[in-house]
Amino acid sequence: MDSDSDPPDTEQARIRANVRAQALILYQSAMTLSGILLDVQHTDSPWEYESSTRFLASTTCLRGKALATVAKALSSLSQLGLEKEETVQRKAIKAVIYASESQIKSIGHLFRRFIGDLDDLHLALAFLQLRLLHLYCDCDVDSMVDLMQLFAAAVSVIEEIVKLSEMYSLVTYSPYFVFAGVFLSAITIVIKLLKGPVLDYLDAGVGTRAVFTAINLSKRISVRNNDVPAKVGAAYSRLWSSEKIYKNVDGMLWWPLKVRGRLAVSVVFDAYWWLREVSSNPTCGGALPIRMENTALQDLANHVFDGTELDIFGNNGWFLEMD
């Protein structure tokens, strides 16, 4: 039925449903990209009720359902102590990831007739946010397939953003979305995997191209010298070229995350931790505690997300002095 012919009460219901849905999507996206646990009590609504979804566009329902699935997975794992313990039961983590991935696939299948280019990116981001949780598990032979899928998901996000940037100037009109999608997830994962024991199972050429594509995107987002995208782009260039990142004092690889308290973006904070250590500590952090204290982690979070000055990179140019 055309909206112009809807009764007044129906039109008002349509407006209320869409405003509520968009507000919930914004809340879920902001919390997830910041690594903050969602209150999942209200994440099902309005996605689970026909009385609400009949007023919403298919792309809105798809994104809302995908975000709700990720939020539930993170909440379940948080209850298992994902942020607090160095070792959580591997089977429990894997079970939550696999079940949630299955739900995302079902959502994609449900809306397959209506999926557009931006919807593909939303689904790719959902898969990435779930699969990166494999990094909370030990890296062994049994994990190689999962890490290969994580690598594929990270590369897919970068490729989707590049495609949308070429088609719709996504970098120009949605720079934060691009910035968060590339740098707060995909590029860190690609670099960590290419510097880890899973390298022999990956296509290093594809990963290298993805890394430099992401760095170039950051340069396009930057609007002035020394702004946040410019600093992050320079830091990730150092992260890529450093031979010390993710290694102990003895030069052996250190795989577990040292920073675990930011859920789906812990891997990013972990990379920042390593960047700072390799430039200021000759032992590269190997002798320091595995997990940061809560106060130190909060300081790090404030530095990264204060919106004015990315003090994690400081004014002393420490990230430019990396070997």
Side-chain angles (χ1 to χ4, degrees), residues 193-234:
L193 293 177
L194 290 179
K195 288 181 176 289
V198 72
L199 172 60
D200 292 339
Y201 298 85
L202 305 177
D203 188 330
V206 170
T208 301
R209 287 193 296 273
V211 168
F212 284 100
T213 296
I215 292 174
N216 289 333
L217 276 177
S218 179
K219 294 177 181 178
R220 292 171 59 187
I221 297 171
S222 176
V223 295
R224 64 181 176 86
N225 291 335
N226 214 35
D227 62 3
V228 170
K231 286 185 175 182
V232 172

Side-chain angles (χ1 to χ4, degrees), residues 135-136 150-151 186-199 202 211 239-240 245-246 253-258 267 270-271 274:
L135 295 176
Y136 283 87
L150 171 59
F151 177 80
I187 184 175
T188 314
I189 293 166
V190 173
I191 293 176
K192 182 174 177 65
L193 293 177
L194 290 179
K195 288 181 176 289
V198 72
L199 172 60
L202 305 177
V211 168
L239 179 66
W240 172 255
I245 295 292
Y246 306 127
L253 178 73
W254 179 270
W255 179 258
L257 295 175
K258 288 180 177 286
V267 64
D270 185 72
W274 278 101

Side-chain angles (χ1 to χ4, degrees), residues 111-312:
F111 293 96
R112 65 188 183 279
R113 290 192 303 160
F114 311 102
I115 289 179
D117 295 317
L118 193 58
D119 299 319
D120 287 333
L121 178 58
H122 292 158
L123 291 174
L125 283 170
F127 278 119
L128 179 64
Q129 290 166 347
L130 292 171
R131 289 174 179 171
L132 64 81
L133 296 171
H134 289 298
L135 295 176
Y136 283 87
C137 301
D138 293 334
C139 182
D140 52 29
V141 175
D142 294 335
S143 297
M144 291 305 166
V145 173
D146 293 328
L147 295 177
M148 290 167 65
Q149 291 180 337
L150 171 59
F151 177 80
V155 171
S156 175
V157 166
I158 295 175
E159 291 177 343
E160 286 291 333
I161 290 177
V162 170
K163 181 179 73 173
L164 290 173
S165 296
E166 294 174 349
M167 295 174 61
Y168 306 115
S169 300
L170 188 65
V171 172
T172 302
Y173 296 108
S174 187
Y176 178 76
F177 189 56
V178 175
F179 184 76
V182 175
F183 282 96
L184 298 189
S185 52
I187 184 175
T188 314
I189 293 166
V190 173
I191 293 176
K192 182 174 177 65
L193 293 177
L194 290 179
K195 288 181 176 289
V198 72
L199 172 60
D200 292 339
Y201 298 85
L202 305 177
D203 188 330
V206 170
T208 301
R209 287 193 296 273
V211 168
F212 284 100
T213 296
I215 292 174
N216 289 333
L217 276 177
S218 179
K219 294 177 181 178
R220 292 171 59 187
I221 297 171
S222 176
V223 295
R224 64 181 176 86
N225 291 335
N226 214 35
D227 62 3
V228 170
K231 286 185 175 182
V232 172
Y236 273 98
S237 295
R238 303 296 187 242
L239 179 66
W240 172 255
S241 61
S242 175
E243 297 296 328
K244 298 179 180 179
I245 295 292
Y246 306 127
K247 290 184 179 179
N248 277 329
V249 182
D250 57 5
M252 298 298 291
L253 178 73
W254 179 270
W255 179 258
L257 295 175
K258 288 180 177 286
V259 179
R260 301 173 63 93
R262 301 295 286 196
L263 300 171
V265 291
S266 287
V267 64
V268 182
F269 285 89
D270 185 72
Y272 292 159
W273 188 93
W274 278 101
L275 277 169
R276 195 161 206 169
E277 285 304 305
V278 299
S279 62
S280 60
N281 190 329
T283 64
C284 303
L288 298 180
I290 292 176
R291 190 180 68 227
M292 298 175 65
E293 296 297 330
N294 290 335
T295 54
L297 181 59
Q298 186 58 52
D299 289 342
L300 179 60
N302 292 337
H303 287 326
V304 175
F305 290 108
D306 68 359
T308 56
E309 182 64 45
L310 206 60
D311 286 338
I312 187 172

